[in-house]
Amino acid sequence: MQHVSPVREPLVTGGKTYHDITQDVCRQVEAKPNIRWMAALSVALFFLGIFLYSVYRTLWFGIGEWGLNKTVGWAWDITNFVWWVGIGHAGTLISAVLLLFRQKWRSSINRAAEAMTIFAVICAAMFPVLHMGRPWLAYWVFPLQNTFGSLWVNFNSPLLWDVFAISTYFSVSLVFWYIGLIPDFATIRDRAKGPIAKVAYAMLSMNWRGSAKAWSRYETVSLILAGVSTPLVLSVHTIVSMDFATSVVPGWHTTIFPPYFVAGAIFSGFAMVLTLMLITRVVFKLEDYITLEHIALMNKIMMITGSIVGVAYITEFFIAWYSQVEFEQYAFINRATGPYWWAYWSMMTCNVITPQLVWIRRVRYSIPLTFVLSIIVNIGMWFERFVIIVTSLHRDYLPSSWAMFSPSIIDIGIYVGTLGLFFTLFLLFAKFFPVINMAEVKTIRKYTVDNGPTYTGHHEHHTSTHQPATIGVPASAPVNYNKHD
Amino acid sequence: MTKRFALGIFDDEDVLLHAIENIRAAGVKIHDVFSPFPVHGIDDALGIDRSRLPIAAFFYGLCGLSFALWLQIYMLGFDWPMIIGGKPHIALPAFIPVSFELTVLFTCHGMAITFFIITKMYPKPKVNVMDVRSTDDKFVVAIELQDGKTDFGQLTQLLRSNGASEVNEKEMTQK
C-alpha cells in the first residue's frame, strides 16, 4: 500500500465521498441534455453534414474532386490520416502506459482519452478508405483471394502493414475501453429510473455485479491489455511512418521516422486530450476530478514530446548534410526556404518554440494559456504532416514534373467534416456514457481525501513524516471501525 | 433455486478487509463480496487464487503468432510466389509487423472472450444484484443461510461486531 505524500497534490479535491463521485459523474448521464450541449451538438452535426456532402462528391465524381495532381498524388488525405491516428495515441498512452507505470493520476482522464482514441481512429480510417476511390472494394486489403484469381495481398508492403496495425489498434482499443466501462454501466443501471435506460444499461453492463472474483479477474485483464497495448501504440505509428520511410523519396527515406512519428503522435494526442478535458471539466463541472495538477502533468508530457519532435527536426537537417546526398540536402533546404516556407515555419513555431513556454510554472497551471497552447500544437502537428508529405512530393527527382498543390473545396470539406464527425461522437459519448471512470476514481480517493488506507496487511515501509495515526496498525489488531481519527 | 443470504453492508473497504478475515477466522463461509471498485488485498483476505488468465493470454498470443507466420509464408512463399522488390519469397523481416499485430489481436480478443465466459458475463435485460448500493458506495458481504445450519441472529452479531453498518436478509432465485 502507498503512503501519503507530503509534497504531492491530492488527485481528487473537494473532500468527495464514494457516493459524491457516483453522483457527480452520473449527473450528466441522468439529467436532460442542457442548452450548451445541444448547441455544441448542432454545430458538430452541421460539420458532419459537410463531411457527408464531401464524401458524396468524392464517391460520385471520383478522386478528381480533390486537389491532387500528377506530382502530388498524396496530400490532405494522408496528412489528415496521420494527424488523426496520432491524436488517437494519447488515449492508449494514458490508459495503458500510465497504468503500467502505476500513475494514479490517469484515472480521472483515461475514460475520455480512450473515447478520443476510438473516435480519432474512426476519423483517420475515413481517409485511406476514401482515397481508394472505390471503397466498396475495400475488402481487397484483407488477405482474401483476389476475385480474378488466386493472387494474395502483398505482405512486404507497409501499406498492408497499416491495414493490420490500424484494425488491430482500433479493435483492441475498443475492447479495452468497453471492459473499462462495464462496472460504470452497472452503477448507472442500478440507479436508472426509466424503463429504457434500465434495459439499455443492463445490456451494456453484461451482468456485472462487482463480485470479488470478477474484480480480481477484471484487474488481471486490464493489466494484460495494457501490457499488449503499450507496444501496440508504438508499432502503429512506427508502421504509419514506414509508409514514408521505406520509399526512396527525398525527405522521407529516413531511419529517424519511427521514433519521430511516435513522439509527434503523443505530442498531438496530449494536446487534443488537453483541449477536450479543459472543455469537459467546465461544461460538466468536474473541476474536482480533473484538477490543475492533471493539466500541469499533461502539459509536461506535451512539452517533453514536443522537445523530442524538435530534436528530430534538427536531426533531419543534420543527417541531410552529413549524408552528402544532394537530393536530401535540396529537399530540406526547399522545405525551409522554398515555396512552402510558410508551412515549415508555422510548424517550427507551433511545435518547437511555443511548447517551451510550459517550462514556466505560471503557464503550466494556467487554464486559458494551456487551452490556447493545446490548439496551437494541434495546428502545428497538422502542418508537420503537411510539410513532410507535400514539400517532399512537389519537387521530386524530375524537375519537369515539379508542381504546386492547392486543396480543393472538397479536400477542405472532408477535413473539417471529420472534425464534425469526431465532435458528434464525442458529445454523444459525453451524454450517454460516464465521462470519468467512477470505479477507478473511487480506488484513488483514499490516497488523497483521507489520510490513506488503514488496511495494512501488506503495507510497505513508510518514510513519510506525515503519517496518519491509523497507518501501521497490524492486521491482527482489533478493528477500529468507527474511524473518527 | 431460491437461496437465502445474510448481507452485511460495510461503508469502508478497510473495515471490510478486517471483517472478512475475522469472519473467516470464525469459521463462517463467505459466499461472495460485492464492491463498487476493486479492493486491494481482498484476494488474500478471501483466499481467491491468482487468476490463470495470463497463461491463457500467452497461448492466445502464441496462436496469433503461428497463424500470422503460417498465413504469410503459405501465401507468399508457396501458394502464389512472386518476387516483390527483390525480396525473397519468404521475407521474414518484412513479416514481422503483421506477425506482431496478429499476436496482439489474438491475445486481446482471446483473453477478453475468456474473461467474459469464466466470469459468466453476457448481455442480460435485467440483472439481479444483492444490493443496488454495492455498485455505488457500499461493500456487501454475502453469507449463505442454510436451513438448520446457520443462524441469522448469530451472523448478524458477528457482522455487526466486525463493523457492518447494517445486516439484511435477502432471497435470490438463482446463484
Side-chain angles (χ1 to χ4, degrees):
Chain A
M1 295 256 172
Q2 211 153 347
H3 68 83
V4 180
S5 166
V7 286
R8 286 182 209 278
E9 293 292 318
L11 296 174
V12 180
T13 55
K16 301 287 180 187
T17 63
Y18 295 134
H19 187 63
D20 290 339
I21 297 172
T22 314
Q23 291 280 40
D24 288 346
V25 179
C26 292
R27 195 195 306 125
Q28 199 55 43
V29 180
E30 289 161 355
K32 283 214 169 69
N34 62 21
I35 295 289
R36 275 178 295 182
W37 184 84
M38 299 283 265
L41 188 69
S42 316
V43 176
L45 285 173
F46 170 74
F47 282 100
L48 185 64
I50 295 180
F51 175 72
L52 294 176
Y53 176 73
S54 310
V55 169
Y56 149 73
R57 295 278 300 198
T58 304
L59 296 187
W60 197 254
F61 297 102
I63 299 294
E65 287 289 299
W66 295 1
L68 303 176
N69 55 51
K70 74 180 187 316
T71 307
V72 187
W74 250 14
W76 275 46
D77 48 336
I78 194 84
T79 302
N80 298 335
F81 165 71
V82 181
W83 188 71
W84 275 119
V85 171
I87 283 175
H89 280 40
T92 324
L93 203 91
I94 288 173
S95 54
V97 181
L98 297 185
L99 176 71
L100 289 185
F101 288 163
R102 301 279 193 272
Q103 292 296 305
K104 294 195 181 298
W105 61 273
R106 61 178 269 290
S107 291
S108 30
I109 49 169
N110 67 344
R111 171 69 44 76
E114 282 166 35
M116 181 191 83
T117 297
I118 311 280
F119 306 146
V121 174
I122 292 173
C123 291
M126 296 293 162
F127 292 97
V129 170
L130 291 172
H131 191 216
M132 288 173 186
R134 289 186 288 168
W136 48 94
L137 298 178
Y139 63 89
W140 283 13
V141 300
F142 294 110
L144 301 163
Q145 283 197 319
N146 187 313
T147 0
F148 306 114
S150 50
L151 186 64
W152 296 103
V153 288
N154 177 13
F155 286 103
N156 297 307
S157 161
L159 291 173
L160 185 73
W161 305 345
D162 251 1
V163 172
F164 281 85
I166 304 288
S167 41
T168 302
Y169 183 51
F170 179 73
S171 71
V172 169
S173 304
L174 197 66
V175 168
F176 201 3
W177 184 56
Y178 185 70
I179 288 185
L181 274 162
I182 288 173
D184 286 1
F185 280 144
T187 305
I188 300 175
R189 168 199 74 202
D190 289 344
R191 291 164 54 92
K193 301 272 187 299
I196 299 170
K198 265 186 181 157
V199 174
Y201 288 110
M203 298 292 275
L204 284 169
S205 66
M206 301 276 277
N207 201 19
W208 178 264
R209 297 170 339 131
S211 88
K213 195 155 195 175
W215 272 122
S216 165
R217 288 169 176 158
Y218 173 93
E219 288 210 292
T220 309
V221 169
S222 306
L223 205 62
I224 295 172
L225 281 184
V228 294
S229 306
T230 303
L232 182 67
V233 185
L234 305 184
S235 84
V236 170
H237 229 65
T238 297
I239 291 171
V240 169
S241 81
M242 283 172 179
D243 292 346
F244 303 97
T246 58
S247 73
V248 291
V249 177
W252 287 4
H253 189 60
T254 55
T255 47
I256 200 179
F257 261 26
Y260 161 30
F261 268 49
V262 170
I266 298 164
F267 182 46
S268 63
F270 267 88
M272 189 59 111
V273 171
L274 273 170
T275 314
L276 289 175
M277 287 299 137
L278 289 172
I279 299 170
T280 311
R281 76 193 282 272
V282 175
V283 173
F284 296 158
K285 299 190 179 64
L286 296 170
E287 286 93 343
D288 286 331
Y289 302 96
I290 304 162
T291 61
L292 276 179
E293 202 58 35
H294 283 98
I295 292 164
L297 285 164
M298 285 191 275
N299 262 326
K300 282 182 195 167
I301 296 185
M302 196 171 78
M303 194 264 291
I304 290 164
T305 45
S307 305
I308 297 173
V309 169
V311 170
Y313 296 156
I314 298 162
T315 309
E316 280 190 313
F317 261 94
F318 171 76
I319 293 298
W321 165 77
Y322 190 67
S323 68
Q324 291 294 301
V325 177
E326 55 182 324
F327 299 103
E328 284 287 327
Q329 289 172 353
Y330 177 77
F332 283 96
I333 290 167
N334 181 47
R335 273 186 193 177
T337 59
Y340 286 109
W341 65 270
W342 49 271
Y344 183 82
W345 291 105
S346 308
M347 164 188 106
M348 279 304 224
T349 320
C350 296
N351 289 352
V352 184
I353 300 161
T354 21
Q356 299 306 319
L357 291 172
V358 171
W359 287 102
I360 304 163
R361 190 185 158 87
R362 197 170 288 174
V363 176
R364 209 156 65 220
Y365 282 87
S366 157
I367 290 168
L369 287 177
T370 303
F371 188 72
V372 173
L373 204 64
S374 69
I375 290 178
I376 289 178
V377 168
N378 271 316
I379 295 170
M381 282 309 289
W382 190 89
F383 271 115
E384 181 200 298
R385 275 72 198 245
F386 179 82
V387 165
I388 290 172
I389 291 152
V390 174
T391 61
S392 287
L393 281 178
H394 88 127
R395 289 187 180 176
D396 59 2
Y397 294 103
L398 203 63
S400 64
S401 61
W402 285 5
M404 290 295 284
F405 170 80
S406 54
S408 72
I409 192 90
I410 299 299
D411 269 325
I412 300 167
I414 291 187
Y415 173 58
V416 299
T418 46
L419 286 169
L421 175 66
F422 178 78
F423 281 103
T424 307
L425 292 170
F426 194 84
L427 285 163
L428 289 174
F429 153 76
K431 174 67 195 76
F432 295 106
F433 288 17
V435 223
I436 284 187
N437 194 332
M438 288 184 264
E440 267 192 39
V441 170
K442 284 172 191 169
T443 63
I444 60 164
R445 183 196 76 108
K446 278 264 173 139
Y447 297 111
T448 56
V449 179
D450 285 0
N451 283 325
T454 55
Y455 181 73
T456 48
H458 307 278
H459 78 103
E460 295 155 9
H461 178 66
H462 300 291
T463 46
S464 166
T465 52
H466 197 67
Q467 278 186 22
T470 40
I471 284 194
V473 177
S476 55
V479 187
N480 170 24
Y481 57 83
N482 287 324
K483 222 176 151 285
H484 39 62
D485 35 351
Chain B
M1 201 175 104
T2 311
K3 283 180 176 176
R4 287 190 307 125
F5 293 97
L7 303 181
I9 315 282
F10 292 80
D11 298 338
D12 188 281
E13 72 267 33
D14 302 319
V15 178
L16 170 84
L17 285 171
H18 290 295
I20 291 172
E21 287 184 344
N22 294 344
I23 293 166
R24 292 188 75 213
V28 176
K29 194 171 165 279
I30 294 176
H31 170 73
D32 212 336
V33 176
F34 301 93
S35 60
F37 57 85
V39 178
H40 288 182
I42 203 167
D43 294 13
D44 291 334
L46 273 175
I48 297 175
D49 290 337
R50 235 182 124 97
S51 170
R52 280 166 299 176
L53 272 169
I55 302 168
F58 175 77
F59 282 101
Y60 289 126
L62 211 58
C63 286
L65 181 66
S66 322
F67 174 71
L69 286 174
W70 168 80
L71 190 80
Q72 298 174 92
I73 291 170
Y74 166 74
M75 286 178 182
L76 294 193
F78 295 96
D79 192 47
W80 196 269
M82 267 204 304
I83 294 177
I84 298 154
K87 289 174 191 142
H89 294 143
I90 302 171
L92 285 176
F95 293 169
I96 290 173
V98 171
S99 307
F100 171 76
E101 300 301 333
L102 286 181
T103 309
V104 171
L105 189 79
F106 275 56
T107 309
C108 165
H109 292 283
M111 202 179 41
I113 292 166
T114 313
F115 168 68
F116 286 140
I117 292 170
I118 60 172
T119 317
K120 298 194 182 65
M121 285 170 71
Y122 51 90
K124 204 177 166 192
K126 193 175 183 313
V127 182
N128 267 335
V129 285
M130 290 280 188
D131 190 310
V132 286
R133 291 169 299 170
S134 69
T135 52
D136 179 4
D137 61 343
K138 299 286 189 240
F139 305 85
V140 177
V141 177
I143 299 166
E144 196 181 333
L145 291 169
Q146 286 160 325
D147 294 323
K149 271 190 182 171
T150 37
D151 176 39
F152 184 67
Q154 270 181 350
L155 273 181
T156 311
Q157 215 171 20
L158 180 67
L159 286 164
R160 279 282 186 188
S161 65
N162 279 295
S165 56
E166 50 182 282
V167 181
N168 304 324
E169 202 179 338
K170 170 126 183 164
E171 276 198 359
M172 290 283 278
T173 32
Q174 0 119 294
K175 192 198 152 228

